[in-house]
Amino acid sequence: MKFLVIANKFDTAGRNILAQLLDLEPVDYFVANDEVMDSKNLDLEKIKKYDLIIFASKHKSKKHEKTLSVHSPGNFREVWGGGESGRLNLSSALFCKHLFETLIKEKEKSGLKRYSVTMEATHHGPLIERPSVFIEVGGSEIEWKDKAATFVVAKTIRKAIHTFKLDKHREIAIGIGGGHYCPGFNKIQEKSNVALAHIIPKYVSPITSKMIIEAINQTVEEVDFAILDWKGLGKSEERQKIINILEENYIQWKKISE
């Protein structure tokens, strides 16, 4: 597979990740002059030449939580910084799982105890013609400038690119429910045979048939089933609506506990 790493030169974390990655070894890369979440800032013709795009970026949160995170891009409702409403980008569940597992191992080896490793629900752009994934350093400007944290991400990208293999024995799923940092799905991604890419959080409710079908269609691999964050779907009536949508569309489903 051919990988392209993209960062925004004005994004402190993304710039540091890319610079440290290039210090480790040459990789194919593109430096954007503005937000990478907006496809107008990207070289779309260059992107078409690659199999998978990795966006190295900072992550903003209201609480300035110190995180190293992985997520797929797309907008279920409101457009966050690029893309289109109701459209998700293609994403590989197998590569997302591999990148997440690699990030956990590299973080543990580094001794960066003040950071947590987490997946995030699918959010923001860009919308491009190739499968993509974001890997980010979250927090404040202090964390984005933290060369130890960005080096962990750089090493993660390097190792993930070199060691990724298509594993046909994995089960492929989408996630539905829960919050933005989806702790239940983190456990699934880290400790089970299931690979996840797109996750539909509860805060985009009402969750619709269109959202679920889009998440399935925009997963590179064939999706085997949906996983429901049972407690993270709200009241029993809300859970039943999701189940009805899944069963009407002949989509198998399981609870996180299963």
Side-chain angles (χ1 to χ4, degrees):
M1 291 182 68
K2 290 181 66 181
F3 296 87
L4 179 70
V5 181
I6 296 179
N8 170 9
K9 71 178 181 181
F10 296 110
D11 173 342
T12 307
R15 185 177 65 243
N16 288 341
I17 292 165
L18 182 57
Q20 290 170 313
L21 177 59
L22 293 172
D23 282 342
L24 292 171
E25 68 173 74
V27 297
D28 289 356
Y29 69 94
F30 174 75
V31 178
N33 291 321
D34 208 334
E35 286 288 358
V36 298
M37 295 182 289
D38 192 332
S39 59
K40 72 182 182 184
N41 299 321
L42 307 175
D43 186 338
L44 300 180
E45 289 303 313
K46 183 182 182 77
I47 282 171
K48 289 178 183 178
K49 299 175 183 178
Y50 294 86
D51 300 303
L52 199 144
I53 311 303
I54 300 170
F55 291 98
S57 174
K58 67 184 179 185
H59 171 66
K60 291 182 180 180
S61 69
K62 292 180 181 178
K63 297 181 180 179
H64 298 302
E65 296 176 77
K66 300 170 181 62
T67 59
L68 306 177
S69 63
V70 172
H71 78 84
S72 301
N75 296 293
F76 291 105
R77 290 194 183 278
E78 294 94 5
V79 175
W80 291 19
E84 297 177 21
S85 177
R87 298 282 305 280
L88 308 185
N89 206 77
L90 272 170
S91 188
S92 167
L94 290 176
F95 189 74
C96 285
K97 182 178 182 73
H98 182 62
L99 189 65
F100 184 69
E101 291 174 331
T102 306
L103 182 58
I104 290 172
K105 291 173 185 175
E106 290 298 328
K107 184 259 183 183
E108 289 175 349
K109 286 194 295 185
S110 74
L112 282 176
K113 295 182 179 179
R114 69 193 191 102
Y115 290 85
S116 61
V117 176
T118 183
M119 292 169 60
E120 296 175 68
T122 298
H123 66 297
H124 71 59
L127 188 61
I128 56 177
E129 294 185 21
R130 289 292 181 268
S132 64
V133 62
F134 275 74
I135 184 165
E136 303 174 337
V137 175
S140 65
E141 191 71 32
I142 294 171
E143 285 70 43
W144 304 334
K145 290 180 178 178
D146 185 346
K147 293 291 183 70
T150 54
F151 189 52
V152 166
V153 175
K155 288 195 295 182
T156 296
I157 294 171
R158 176 175 178 263
K159 186 170 183 180
I161 287 173
H162 280 295
T163 58
F164 179 60
K165 295 179 181 179
L166 294 174
D167 188 341
K168 296 180 180 179
H169 300 290
R170 298 286 194 194
E171 294 179 292
I172 309 300
I174 62 167
I176 305 176
H180 188 74
Y181 295 103
C182 41
F185 294 122
N186 286 340
K187 293 176 183 177
I188 297 289
Q189 193 82 311
E190 179 187 2
K191 300 182 180 296
S192 79
N193 189 50
V194 176
L196 292 153
H198 288 298
I199 296 173
I200 309 172
K202 185 181 184 301
Y203 61 75
V204 300
S205 294
I207 295 170
T208 65
S209 175
K210 182 180 178 181
M211 291 177 182
I212 293 171
I213 298 300
E214 178 76 357
I216 290 172
N217 288 344
Q218 293 303 100
T219 300
V220 171
E221 301 83 7
E222 183 176 351
V223 172
D224 296 302
F225 50 83
I227 302 178
L228 306 186
D229 184 332
W230 199 248
K231 293 181 180 179
L233 279 172
K235 298 178 180 179
S236 59
E237 309 89 76
E238 295 171 310
R239 290 195 292 264
Q240 191 58 51
K241 287 178 182 177
I242 302 299
I243 292 168
N244 290 344
I245 290 171
L246 294 170
E247 294 184 347
E248 286 167 5
N249 287 280
Y250 304 98
I251 301 166
Q252 296 186 56
W253 61 275
K254 301 180 180 182
K255 301 177 186 178
I256 278 183
S257 59
E258 299 172 329

